[in-house]
Amino acid sequence: MAKKGQAVQLQIEVANDEEWDKLLQKDGLIIVDVYSEWCGPCLGMQANLKKIKLEVGGDMLLLAVAKSDGITSLQRFRNKSEPTWMFVSKGKMINLMFGADAPKLTRLILDELKKEQSEQAGQPTDRMPLEITEMAEEEKVRFEVAESKEKESQAKEDTKKAKELLERRTKECANIVTNLPNYGAALIFPSAKDKYKEILGEILDEAGLDIYQTEKVQFNEDIINEMCYFTDISKEFTEESLEELYNDESLMLLFKESARTEIEDIDDTILNMIYGAIRKPPGTKESIAQKLITEEEQEQETQTEEKDKVKKESGNVGIWVPPDASVRATVLRMFFPKVSGDFTIPEPAPEPEHLTIIFPLNKKDEALQVMHQYPDEIMKHGLFTSENYEDTTLVARNFKQLDKLVPSERT
């Protein structure tokens, strides 16, 4: 018992691993208010806790506040705003409670004090101690719920972004196709770079096309994925052809309708020029596509009928042509921006870095005053059921909407 005039320490403050380890070595039941520095401990419950200690707990009950930011064992509680109460005995966690429910916390403390007395008297209890770093059952449930919500939210966000991207690219392709109806493209594989001019030269005049521009391209998976946004990559390229594209530099050709001709359908014209009458890979026997296949591949192709069959089903080595107008427009956008740039749609500006700041409703007037002062700095605001972002629900998107709610819908 403290001497007369000497202050009694009702609450221990711990902020680092050393102080935390010392706290765990103490006897009795320890109630720890675990908090994050940005939020602070639960001040509203302290008077009630100190009353329980003085009237019921005595020396058997210890009260502590622990700043999780500097305590390794409590790192999972960092950046949380919800009051968290950890019950500790003999260096182990024997209970955990979330929230500022004073009656519930009081009941738990009284119940755990009885168990503490029983254990000190050598009597068994139903306690199931856990290591401080282990999750209690309620934590596990909360974690699973939060993870599920996070996945659901992320899925919705991904779906929204995918829809917006599809709409933007579809509109962009339509712009390019409409405004550049007489431009087409073809990809020359590394193995065909040395001979494509000679072979193409034989038929370009006949098709009414000129090579308007040539670009060197070093492909990677991301570029291929973007180029094939409107088509199935596996239908356009074999694994072997992709490996060739990734390992060496390729050429992308931009075709333009020659001044002396008029072409109705640029896609059909180029597909016919490259692949022949079938207008798709691997092309007819006398097509440019077949002529650009390397001699080594042609030898392998003719070794057996089965290999010839496989080659014709999957091979398009040597040259590749966009299969339709959308893919052609994508190629023009990606590799020939000087030609297509005026008809593309700029990427949306990235979302700026931002903070979420939470105020209790009784601070509404102060918050509104600042919001009115800096309207351009406020991205969004709303009113929610709780400050705990993991399980909160939107009540109203603004204060006007809140005022229109009936009393039963307000919280």
Side-chain angles (χ1 to χ4, degrees), residues 145-366:
V145 170
E147 191 176 48
S148 176
K149 284 188 176 182
E150 181 67 26
K151 287 181 178 179
E152 182 181 348
S153 175
Q154 188 61 53
K156 287 182 179 178
E157 185 67 20
D158 291 344
T159 300
K160 178 184 175 184
K161 287 182 178 179
K163 182 181 178 182
E164 290 172 350
L165 178 62
L166 176 60
E167 290 174 351
R168 187 171 72 251
R169 288 193 171 176
T170 300
K171 184 177 179 180
E172 186 174 60
C173 284
N175 286 347
I176 293 172
V177 169
T178 300
N179 290 282
L180 300 173
N182 301 323
Y183 286 86
L187 165 63
I188 303 298
F189 280 73
S191 59
K193 286 189 295 186
D194 294 335
K195 56 181 179 179
Y196 82 91
K197 288 183 180 179
E198 177 185 350
I199 295 174
L200 269 179
E202 301 172 0
I203 199 169
L204 276 174
D205 283 344
E206 182 182 333
L209 294 169
D210 294 324
I211 297 179
Y212 184 74
Q213 191 176 332
T214 303
E215 289 292 329
K216 294 179 181 179
V217 180
Q218 180 58 63
F219 282 95
N220 57 39
E221 190 173 349
D222 290 339
I223 295 175
I224 289 289
N225 285 334
E226 185 174 357
M227 187 174 74
C228 293
Y229 180 81
F230 287 103
T231 188
D232 185 343
I233 294 176
S234 64
K235 291 181 179 179
E236 303 300 322
F237 301 102
T238 63
E239 291 185 10
E240 293 79 6
S241 60
L242 286 174
E243 184 176 354
E244 181 183 351
L245 291 174
Y246 296 155
N247 288 337
D248 199 357
E249 210 169 49
S250 304
L251 293 178
M252 190 66 76
L253 307 183
L254 177 65
F255 297 120
K256 185 182 180 183
E257 176 187 87
S258 61
R260 55 192 175 279
T261 60
E262 188 172 332
I263 296 174
E264 288 188 17
D265 188 328
I266 192 76
D267 296 306
D268 185 69
T269 298
I270 295 174
L271 289 168
N272 182 67
M273 178 181 72
I274 300 300
Y275 298 121
I278 64 173
R279 290 172 168 74
K280 62 181 181 179
T284 58
K285 187 175 181 180
E286 299 301 323
S287 68
I288 288 176
Q290 287 295 312
K291 290 179 181 179
L292 285 175
I293 296 174
T294 63
E295 293 179 4
E296 179 183 354
E297 287 164 342
Q298 288 175 341
E299 289 174 3
Q300 292 175 352
E301 192 180 39
T302 56
Q303 282 179 3
T304 65
E305 289 185 3
E306 183 61 30
K307 285 185 178 179
D308 185 59
K309 180 181 177 183
V310 171
K311 184 66 181 177
K312 286 186 177 181
E313 287 177 349
S314 63
N316 56 354
V317 178
I319 190 169
W320 172 82
V321 176
D324 57 44
S326 293
V327 183
R328 167 170 60 92
T330 302
V331 169
L332 297 184
R333 171 181 63 81
M334 291 179 64
F335 304 108
F336 304 103
K338 289 183 180 179
V339 173
S340 62
D342 290 341
F343 313 111
T344 58
I345 299 175
E347 295 285 329
E351 189 174 74
E353 292 187 3
H354 56 277
L355 296 174
T356 297
I357 304 177
I358 303 171
F359 296 95
L361 189 59
N362 60 13
K363 298 291 184 180
K364 178 182 73 170
D365 294 336
E366 291 94 325

